[in-house]
Amino acid sequence: MTEAILLVGGKGTRLRPLTVHTPKPMVPAAGVPFLTHQLARARAAGVDHIVLATSYLAEVFEPHFGDGSALGLHLEYVTEREPLGTGGAIRNVAGRLRSGPDEPVLIFNGDILTGLDIRALVDTHESTGADVSLHLTKVADPRAYGLVPTDDTGRVLAFLEKPQTPEEIVTDQINAGAYVFRRSVIDTIPAGRPVSVERETFPGLLAAGAHLQGMVDSTYWLDLGTPAAFVRGSADLVMGRAPSPAVPGRRGDRLILPTARVAPDAKLTGGTVVGEGAFVAEGARVSGSTILPGAVIEPGAVVTDSLIGSRARVGERSVLTGAVVGDGAVVGADNELRDGVRVWCDARIPAGAVRFSSDQ
């Protein structure tokens, strides 16, 4: 097992405004671009050649990671002219693969944080002789996901769209977004047009009698598609709940990057990250949040489960809970922002302009 494809072309629309200037896999989680954690875990599992399938803001990946040698990898980049979907993206990079027809190719989605045992998935693929093997995970409420029932040997029986009624929930197993393909199977995906691996490729292979194997691994798994999930994933990395060899510091309640400044009486808890050049002023309390590079948290502000964008500013005594503040935005003093509010990049909220409670 020496090579992989990483699908990093999505626009990350559910994460906006975080992804206005930055592609989703490059948004910092636990102090480094999220993609760094995926690359490091793949390398730790023995992968040495990775092709990145890029599209949205494709120009930012190679300047940051280069040829991958700093991570012990050989990285290549292929950019889609038009979005091709998951299957189309896989097919589009096939020419850069080196594997023989029967050799395994690992495929990751660029927005999943997981503790998957990568080697175990590859071993399952090879020991069962599967054409494609899928990482499956169990979730308490599968209604938001496509279901993947398997038989008692783990062989996939069907791919079921999001269930609409209780009777349709025939399993709690879902597609967790990591696969091993037999190299020759990739060449059967139609080239030059959008293809969904979930809706077209997998059901088509199953209908044609191919062997699709599921491996249930219910260790840590989180889809980082929403701001709340992204903030939680970053905090879990800092606290050691989610595994990664790429966290730049000791696991614990907080991670302060080298050029960040934090006042002695400021309180940081819950896996908070303070990025390069950021400043947390006296009396501020920050819990479970990500403060991106160059941002400022002014005296007495309280920030909980929120993400503060690069060069943004949160004013004195403002209280933010479950909020996202875009790059360069300013939240004036004495504001109160809650529960999924998104402040767009470079926006300005005057002092005392937004509240959920009375002013008394």
Side-chain angles (χ1 to χ4, degrees), residues 1 38 81 156 166 179 194 204 207 212 236 241 243 254 256 297 323:
M1 181 62 200
Q38 291 187 305
R81 291 186 178 90
V156 173
Y179 320 113
L212 277 68
D236 285 349
R241 294 172 180 166
R254 63 185 189 175
I256 303 172
I297 310 299

Side-chain angles (χ1 to χ4, degrees), residues 246-332:
V247 177
R250 294 175 58 188
R251 307 299 191 277
D253 239 12
R254 63 185 189 175
L255 175 65
I256 303 172
L257 275 289
T259 59
R261 294 181 298 134
V262 177
D265 67 343
K267 187 174 183 181
L268 308 179
T269 59
T272 287
V273 181
V274 184
E276 299 274 0
F279 175 53
V280 181
E282 57 271 13
R285 290 182 288 141
V286 186
S287 176
S289 297
T290 296
I291 313 301
L292 292 186
V296 175
I297 310 299
E298 293 188 357
V302 180
V303 180
T304 305
D305 298 337
S306 297
L307 196 148
I308 312 303
S310 298
R311 306 175 312 283
R313 180 177 291 266
V314 176
E316 296 183 48
R317 298 174 302 280
S318 282
V319 177
L320 278 64
T321 303
V324 176
V325 178
D327 296 341
V330 175
V331 178

Side-chain angles (χ1 to χ4, degrees), residues 94-352:
R96 302 293 184 94
L97 298 173
R98 304 166 179 171
S99 301
D102 289 326
E103 291 182 323
V105 178
L106 181 67
I107 298 172
F108 287 118
N109 277 310
D111 54 2
I112 301 294
L113 177 59
T114 176
L116 167 68
D117 185 337
I118 296 170
R119 286 273 13 141
L121 181 62
V122 177
D123 291 345
T124 295
H125 177 80
E126 294 184 323
S127 65
T128 60
D131 296 299
V132 179
S133 297
L134 297 86
H135 171 208
L136 308 179
T137 193
K138 295 177 180 289
V139 294
D141 184 358
R143 289 176 297 177
Y145 304 96
L147 309 184
V148 187
T150 55
D151 67 16
D152 55 8
T153 69
R155 189 158 182 158
V156 173
L157 299 174
F159 291 90
L160 307 176
E161 286 302 309
K162 297 174 184 178
Q164 303 300 310
T165 65
E167 293 73 26
E168 292 178 307
I169 302 175
V170 298
T171 180
D172 58 356
Q173 296 176 176
I174 67 165
N175 177 355
Y179 320 113
V180 180
F181 273 66
R182 187 190 302 273
R183 170 67 181 86
S184 58
V185 173
I186 293 175
D187 292 328
T188 68
I189 299 172
R193 68 168 176 85
V195 179
S196 167
V197 74
E198 301 87 355
R199 294 182 179 86
E200 181 176 344
T201 304
F202 291 157
L205 286 168
L206 204 60
H211 180 177
L212 277 68
Q213 186 73 21
M215 188 195 83
V216 176
D217 183 322
S218 293
T219 54
Y220 186 98
W221 184 85
L222 186 63
D223 178 349
L224 300 185
T226 66
F230 199 96
V231 170
R232 178 154 63 94
S234 177
D236 285 349
L237 283 162
V238 172
M239 293 187 290
R241 294 172 180 166
S244 170
V247 177
R250 294 175 58 188
R251 307 299 191 277
D253 239 12
R254 63 185 189 175
L255 175 65
I256 303 172
L257 275 289
T259 59
R261 294 181 298 134
V262 177
D265 67 343
K267 187 174 183 181
L268 308 179
T269 59
T272 287
V273 181
V274 184
E276 299 274 0
F279 175 53
V280 181
E282 57 271 13
R285 290 182 288 141
V286 186
S287 176
S289 297
T290 296
I291 313 301
L292 292 186
V296 175
I297 310 299
E298 293 188 357
V302 180
V303 180
T304 305
D305 298 337
S306 297
L307 196 148
I308 312 303
S310 298
R311 306 175 312 283
R313 180 177 291 266
V314 176
E316 296 183 48
R317 298 174 302 280
S318 282
V319 177
L320 278 64
T321 303
V324 176
V325 178
D327 296 341
V330 175
V331 178
D334 300 307
N335 280 292
E336 186 182 358
L337 306 180
R338 280 199 209 161
D339 304 331
V341 67
R342 306 183 190 213
V343 180
W344 226 250
C345 299
D346 301 313
R348 298 289 187 271
I349 298 179

Side-chain angles (χ1 to χ4, degrees), residues 34-50:
F34 174 67
L35 181 57
T36 308
H37 299 290
Q38 291 187 305
L39 294 173
R41 292 199 74 247
R43 181 68 190 95
V47 176
D48 59 16
H49 177 225
I50 299 180

